[in-house]
């Protein structure tokens, strides 16, 4: 799960970097009004997915030999 989170983080950084450089240097002609809407939507989805991944990762991160406190055998 941590590999997915790392992958999403790196991809989002690369996308932000490319969009920023493209905005400054104008490599590709892009209508940034629509791109901003799409980018914000994608980042919101990535943010939600990363948050859910962290929650589930923390829930299953317990060591295998740890016992439940209230469990009776």
């Amino acid at each position: 799960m941590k590999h997915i989170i790392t992958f999403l983080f790196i991809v989002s950084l690369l996308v932000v970097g490319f969009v920023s450089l493209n905005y400054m240097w104008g490599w590709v002609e892009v209508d940034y009004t629509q791109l901003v809407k799409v980018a914000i939507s994608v980042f919101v989805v990535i943010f939600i997915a990363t948050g859910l991944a962290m929650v589930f990762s923390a829930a299953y991160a317990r060591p295998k030999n740890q016992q439940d406190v209230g469990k009776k055998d």
Side-chain angles (χ1 to χ4, degrees), residues 1-12 46 49-58:
M1 190 60 74
K2 67 181 177 181
H3 299 296
I4 294 172
I5 296 170
T6 305
F7 175 75
L8 289 175
F9 180 71
I10 291 172
V11 167
S12 63
I46 289 174
T50 306
L52 287 174
M54 288 191 299
V55 168
F56 285 113
S57 177

Side-chain angles (χ1 to χ4, degrees), residues 10-71:
I10 291 172
V11 167
S12 63
L13 280 178
L14 290 174
V15 168
V16 168
F18 177 75
V19 169
S20 301
L21 289 175
N22 188 34
Y23 183 75
M24 288 189 299
W25 294 98
W27 295 326
V28 181
E29 294 298 324
V30 179
D31 180 17
Y32 281 100
T33 57
Q34 293 298 323
L35 183 65
V36 169
K37 292 177 187 176
V38 172
I40 290 173
S41 302
V42 167
F43 287 130
V44 166
V45 170
I46 289 174
F47 179 72
I48 292 169
T50 306
L52 287 174
M54 288 191 299
V55 168
F56 285 113
S57 177
Y60 292 111
R62 190 175 72 168
K64 299 294 182 200
N65 59 357
Q66 182 178 351
Q67 297 177 354
D68 290 332
V69 175
K71 187 175 182 182

